Each structure stands twice: as C-alpha cells, then as structure tokens.
Amino acid sequence: MKILLLGSGGREHALAWKMAQSNKCKALYIAPGNGGTRNAGTNVNLDTTDFNAIKAFVLDKDINLVVVGPEGPLVAGIANFFSVDKELKHITVIGPVKEGAELEGSKSFAKAFMVRYGIPTAAYLEVNETSLEQGKAFIDEQKLPIVLKADGLAAGKGVLIINDKEEAKKSLAEMLEGMFGEASKKVVIEQFLQGIEFSVFVLTDGKSYQLLPVAKDYKRIGEGDTGLNTGGMGAVSPLPFVSKDLMKKVKKEIIAPTLEGLQKEGIDYKGFIYFGLMKVGDEPFVIEYNCRMGDPETQAVIPRIKSDLVELFKAVGKGELDKAELKIKKKACAAVVLASGGYPGEYEKGLLIQGADDIDGSLVFHSGTHIKHGELYTAGGRVITVSTLGENLQDAIKNSLETASRIDFEGKYFRKDIGQDVSTKKTLKHLQDKESVKVD
C-alpha cells in the first residue's frame, strides 16, 4: 500500500515508525512531518487542512490509505471530503467524518451525546454570552473546585480548574469574551470529579472495535502535577490500577453505548476513539472524547503493539476489523517528553539538538524538530519524546529518564516523575487512597 500520514508531532512519528515496519507498506509519506519522520518515510510539505492540495498529492502518488493524526483536519471534515469525491471515495481514511469528530470538536456536543446514551459523565451546564448569569448561578450551586472547559479545540489547554467561586465567575466571563479565541465563545461548566485519570483507546470500523493498550498521561508542566497545562509531558502503559473488572465496566457502560450511539445517529466512524476517563471509587466516568490518538500517549501505546498496524487499518477500510487480531506485548512502556525552556509559555526555537540519533535501547520520537544543513534543531515547545520498553514500569521509566538526560539542547526540560505515582505498590496505594489526580 501507498500511505499518506497527516501530522507533524510525536504521535505521527510513532505511527510512521510502526507502519514503516509493515511489509504491506510500499511507500509512506508524512505531511508535513518533522525532523524524525524522515527516517520512516518521505516528508511532504502539505498543509493538513488544504484538502485540494492533499487530493492532488493523493492522486499523483496513487495513495491507497490516508491516516489522519491530528484533530484539526478531522473536525474540518477531511473524511467527508474524501467520501463525496468520485476520485477519492475508494481510498480508506483512518479518521471519522466531521459529525463524529464533533465528539472532540465540541464539548457541549460530547456532553449531550453522553447524556442521550446514558454514558457516565460529570453533571454540566453549557453557557454562552447570553446565558452568563445562568452560568454564574450554576457555579454558586457547585462544590469547589469549579471546572470550566472551552467548548472548541484549544490545543489541550482550554480547561480551568478554579478553587474560588468569584474567581470562577470572572474567568467564565473572560473565556466567553475570547480567552481561548473562538474555542471559548461557548463554555461548559462541569462538576469536579475526584479520582484517578486514565486513557482508553479503541480502533473501530464503525461496527466492531479493537481495544488498544490503556495509558495515563501527565498534562501539567511541573513535577507533582503542578503548573500550567501542556499538550502532555509524558505517559505510561499499562496501568496497575486498571483492573479487569474496571475494564469490563468501561466496555459495557462507555465503549459499547458510544459505538451504538454513533450508529443510531448515522455517523460513519472509522478510526480511533480516545476515551479520557476518571476512576471515581470503582466506577469509570468520561471526562472527554478525542477523535484521534493522544500525544504523548501514542508514544507509550504504539511500541506495545505487536500486530501489523497497516493490516489493522486495511481491516477498518473493509469493515472487517472483527476478523483482525490485535496482539499486545506484555512489556511496559514509559514515554518522557523533552520540552523547550519556557514551554508552555514563550520559548526559543532553532536550538541545536545533540545526542538524539545515537540511542541504545530507547525509541526517540520527534515532535518539534527540523533539519537544517544536516543538523537537528528545535522547532516547537515539545521537542522529543523518549519511549522505552521494560519488563515493568519501573525499569521502563528508569531507562527513559536515563536516555532523556543524554539528549541535549539549550534550555531542555523534562519531568522526572512521569509514572512514579503508579509504578510501585507503595505509590499506587497512596494514590488510590488519596484519589487526588485532578481533571486536566
């Protein structure tokens, strides 16, 4: 198969790395890619939301499969674009139509969908500029802290958790006035849930699904989950606190009704669904949906997949995913993100990276990097993800941190506590007793 992968982050590098291993992969193009994806395929300078340019490239290169990494093109309707074009409609697109992508594109749509199909989630109120006073009254009725979520896409940063009701009302007004641009012209005020967060991923052909490895990511910039939200500073998989009984509930109460709801509403959903969940006591609740794989969770999940990913994508296109087999490695994986100094605020770009190409025992997935005159330089806030497989989480974490320390660029920063809260019985028991992980 000739494959086009859209995106430029660590998620896309991990997907490209895995697909390139398939003997079904005849050619792999990544648009626009980054300094690392060039090692898995050919980088192409395409805008992921310029559908006409993508069409021209797909036809020129005789592409058979398009894999959409980020949410932007999906929310903009790239799957719909392919499905109605007589020259493109035979090509498999891994990613839902726009209507399905609204699960991520609109928090209010997702919450209403969950309510319609009895999927457990926190109580909420949708607010816009005309219902600000109603929103303030709702805040008064809630227990602290207050959760405010921008309705639209905000690069994983449109969530505020506030411990003062007056401050929450002020922030609500500021969000509606454009704190997060168009994304917060509508805001969801949500009941705060206290528990342990985890991420569940499925690949679906719209009828059946395959369950991918469970993971946990770390959104805050500072150790101990402090500071500002980021796109994600690391992830680990599997999770000791996610039991078989808990996953039975997730499948029955969350995954099954989600797929049934999509089918009832006539939404053609072929691709990944990311369930951002909270374990409250022994019960799972949905915090959010994503219409694609997470970043950096992908960098902890994909290395644990033993099966041929391209074969799975082919099965999705044929509607035969129930006939495919997904094999998972028993090993654990820890992914640690190396970020630019100052991220998620202002940071410098164009800094020389050293030591990223000479790694023993770890996988190095690029995010914000580019090549200039044969040298590797920083080009973003999250620069590189180091992923390492180990016999257990402790070994995987230890080795990822050692590798992260050997890669060098000016201002490099990474969290040294990724996975430490779930990697030993002692820390896990403390976390479960306290159940103190907050909504990101």
Side-chain angles (χ1 to χ4, degrees):
M1 298 187 79
K2 294 182 179 179
I3 305 167
L4 174 63
L5 169 64
L6 299 181
S8 62
R11 166 184 51 224
E12 286 74 35
H13 190 182
L15 290 169
W17 168 81
K18 182 64 176 174
M19 288 191 292
Q21 297 170 25
S22 171
N23 59 17
K24 296 293 189 295
C25 181
K26 183 178 180 181
L28 174 61
Y29 301 93
I30 308 98
N34 58 44
T37 55
R38 77 195 193 285
N39 295 321
T42 303
N43 287 350
V44 182
N45 187 22
L46 283 175
D47 181 340
T48 60
T49 57
D50 187 343
F51 298 165
N52 287 316
I54 291 170
K55 174 182 176 179
F57 180 84
V58 164
L59 295 177
D60 180 58
K61 298 296 183 181
D62 195 24
I63 298 295
N64 312 108
L65 172 68
V66 176
V67 181
V68 187
E71 65 275 14
L74 295 169
V75 173
I78 189 169
N80 305 65
F81 180 83
F82 270 69
S83 68
V84 299
D85 189 296
K86 63 181 181 180
E87 295 180 283
L88 301 176
K89 61 184 180 180
H90 67 284
I91 297 170
T92 296
V93 176
I94 301 299
V97 293
K98 183 176 183 177
E99 294 78 6
E102 278 293 274
L103 286 175
E104 178 172 2
S106 171
K107 298 290 191 300
S108 57
F109 173 87
K111 296 293 282 191
F113 178 91
M114 286 183 261
V115 170
R116 279 199 298 279
Y117 296 103
I119 298 165
T121 190
Y124 78 104
L125 179 71
E126 174 188 331
V127 180
N128 57 35
E129 61 182 358
T130 65
S131 54
L132 175 59
E133 294 307 315
Q134 184 182 355
K136 290 180 178 179
F138 186 75
I139 287 173
D140 281 331
E141 296 170 1
Q142 303 306 304
K143 294 180 180 179
L144 292 173
I146 307 296
V147 182
L148 303 178
K149 293 184 176 181
D151 179 65
L153 299 178
K157 300 170 188 175
V159 179
L160 301 179
I161 301 171
I162 302 171
N163 277 294
D164 180 88
K165 290 186 177 181
E166 293 307 313
E167 182 185 346
K169 293 175 189 177
K170 180 173 179 289
S171 294
L172 174 62
E174 291 173 350
M175 288 177 74
L176 292 171
E177 290 168 3
M179 179 189 292
F180 298 104
E182 289 298 316
S184 62
K185 290 296 184 180
K186 190 188 295 181
V187 174
V188 169
I189 308 172
E190 195 171 78
Q191 171 196 16
F192 179 81
L193 295 178
Q194 187 132 327
I196 307 174
E197 283 193 72
F198 63 108
S199 303
V200 169
F201 309 89
V202 303
L203 178 64
T204 180
D205 60 8
K207 299 174 294 183
S208 60
Y209 71 90
Q210 294 284 352
L211 186 66
L212 278 61
V214 174
K216 179 182 186 327
D217 76 327
Y218 297 80
K219 287 284 197 302
R220 302 287 182 172
I221 187 65
E223 294 183 5
D225 285 324
T226 58
L228 296 173
N229 263 349
T230 72
M233 292 300 295
V236 293
S237 176
L239 305 176
F241 65 85
V242 178
S243 65
K244 289 183 180 179
D245 286 342
L246 179 61
M247 283 309 299
K248 283 180 182 178
K249 292 179 181 179
V250 170
K251 291 175 185 177
K252 180 180 178 181
E253 300 171 14
I254 295 172
I255 298 175
T258 295
L259 291 176
E260 288 167 9
L262 291 168
Q263 290 171 32
K264 285 181 180 178
E265 301 198 5
I267 295 174
D268 185 22
Y269 202 111
K270 290 182 170 63
F272 295 105
I273 308 179
Y274 168 125
F275 299 86
L277 305 181
M278 180 77 77
K279 176 179 177 286
V280 181
D282 292 320
E283 302 301 320
F285 287 78
V286 178
I287 300 300
E288 64 174 349
Y289 289 110
N290 286 168
C291 60
R292 38 74 193 183
M293 289 292 286
D295 186 340
E297 294 100 326
T298 304
Q299 294 94 295
V301 168
I302 289 296
R304 295 193 60 223
I305 294 177
K306 190 183 297 184
S307 302
D308 185 321
L309 193 58
V310 176
E311 287 281 13
L312 290 168
F313 289 158
K314 282 181 63 179
V316 169
K318 293 178 180 179
E320 298 176 351
L321 192 57
D322 57 333
K323 298 178 183 178
E325 184 179 15
L326 178 61
K327 294 181 179 179
I328 307 298
K329 298 174 185 176
K330 291 183 179 180
K331 290 187 175 183
C333 188
V336 175
V337 172
L338 280 61
S340 297
Y343 175 78
E346 294 184 5
Y347 55 87
E348 191 176 351
K349 297 181 182 179
L351 302 171
L352 180 66
I353 303 170
Q354 295 179 311
D357 292 326
D358 186 21
I359 302 297
D360 183 27
S362 293
L363 299 166
V364 177
F365 296 122
H366 294 228
S367 298
T369 69
H370 74 98
I371 301 292
K372 183 178 180 182
H373 304 309
E375 298 280 5
L376 187 66
Y377 292 88
T378 66
R382 292 187 297 165
V383 179
I384 279 171
T385 305
V386 174
S387 297
T388 311
L389 289 166
E391 294 302 319
N392 53 56
L393 276 179
Q394 287 173 285
D395 287 344
I397 293 165
K398 177 176 176 288
N399 291 330
S400 278
L401 291 175
E402 287 179 355
T403 299
S405 68
R406 295 201 299 270
I407 299 172
D408 189 51
F409 56 89
E410 185 180 341
K412 176 190 75 175
Y413 169 79
F414 62 96
R415 280 181 57 172
K416 298 177 179 64
D417 65 340
I418 299 300
Q420 302 290 358
D421 55 346
V422 297
S423 63
T424 68
K425 290 182 179 179
K426 182 178 179 181
T427 56
L428 178 59
K429 186 178 187 306
H430 172 73
L431 183 65
Q432 289 176 315
D433 288 344
K434 191 176 180 184
E435 295 225 321
S436 60
V437 177
K438 303 298 191 294
V439 181
D440 283 326

